Amino acid sequence: ENREDMLSSKSNKLTEALEEANKLFSGVSCAREAALDAQFLVLASNLGKEKANELHSEMTAFDSLAFAEDLLTFMGLNRIEVEEKDSDNEGFSGGYLPSNAWHKLGAETEKYFRRAPSFHYMLGSFKSEPPVPRQRIERQKKATGREEKRAMPAQLKKMEESHQEATEKEVERILGLLQTHFKNDPDMPISFFDLVIDPNSFARTVENIFHVSFIVRDGFAQLKLDEDKLPIIEPIKGDEGREDDRSNLARNQAVISLSYQEWK
């Protein structure tokens, strides 16, 4: 409503309205009141921009050529008559600057820069150096020859077979010892711990438990608890019983814990 008065350079109503809005904002408690304050701030900013645009500073536009000419005159340019070599050089002020021209300009501008600039590091307290370029590692191209393709799988297959054969041989050896014991004394089951524990090697004991687990899993032997609730192991007699037990025990396996202290 008071737009014209607000934009008048002789009026302070815009400032008074801003001061009154600051006082009212101290009592704002609802969202609607805050929204009205934001709306007023936008309106006041637009009025302030228009008021600033209407100010007459009575300053002329900056002319870079005139400034350069005045600067050369101040620095003491010695103008001499030069021959016009071509039409492109018309209007060019020829001459030579004295040896102390820039020193004179520096002494004059020093008056306006008496305060020393603050000292600070832009990139930390240490001199920054560009990162060392990483060496690009070229990937080996896949071999197209058939020979190279066959070499690696053959080696891996051979290693896998050797490891598997060693495990199978150890399992068969333990199974043979178990069957030999029961053949000599079929009514005396052997203690599981007596079978697997090596009193001189904890690692060997763990390997024995690992190998015996294959015998139990495949149904060649079974584990039971004796009267003292300790595990005993005995081979399964007959092919029919082993087949039935193999189908059942293949789905029932257990994990036991054996620490070094327990082994000792």
Side-chain angles (χ1 to χ4, degrees), residues 144-157:
T144 55
R146 296 182 179 178
E147 261 179 48
E148 204 164 342
K149 285 186 178 180
R150 287 197 304 266
M152 198 53 154
Q155 292 176 3
L156 292 177
K157 184 176 180 181

Side-chain angles (χ1 to χ4, degrees), residues 127-237:
K127 183 179 179 181
S128 176
E129 296 181 356
V132 180
R134 298 177 60 185
Q135 295 182 354
R136 185 175 180 180
I137 301 176
E138 295 184 0
R139 297 182 178 178
Q140 296 181 355
K141 296 182 179 179
K142 294 183 179 179
T144 55
R146 296 182 179 178
E147 261 179 48
E148 204 164 342
K149 285 186 178 180
R150 287 197 304 266
M152 198 53 154
Q155 292 176 3
L156 292 177
K157 184 176 180 181
K158 184 178 180 181
M159 188 187 342
E160 184 179 356
E161 288 178 354
S162 62
H163 179 72
Q164 185 177 359
E165 289 176 0
T167 303
E168 290 178 355
K169 289 181 179 179
E170 188 65 19
V171 171
E172 292 176 358
R173 187 183 70 84
I174 296 177
L175 179 60
L177 293 175
L178 187 63
Q179 291 175 344
T180 301
H181 172 79
F182 272 85
K183 186 176 181 180
N184 298 332
D185 194 354
D187 297 329
M188 180 63 67
I190 187 173
S191 170
F192 173 75
F193 292 115
D194 289 343
L195 176 66
V196 299
I197 289 179
D198 185 341
N200 299 320
S201 174
F202 174 71
R204 183 63 180 172
T205 301
V206 175
E207 288 182 359
N208 290 339
I209 297 175
F210 172 71
H211 292 142
V212 171
S213 67
F214 287 103
I215 299 174
V216 177
R217 184 201 64 180
D218 295 338
F220 291 103
Q222 61 180 350
L223 289 173
K224 296 180 180 180
L225 295 179
D226 60 6
E227 297 177 355
D228 298 327
K229 301 298 181 182
L230 294 176
I232 57 175
I233 185 171
E234 58 183 10
I236 296 177
K237 300 177 182 179

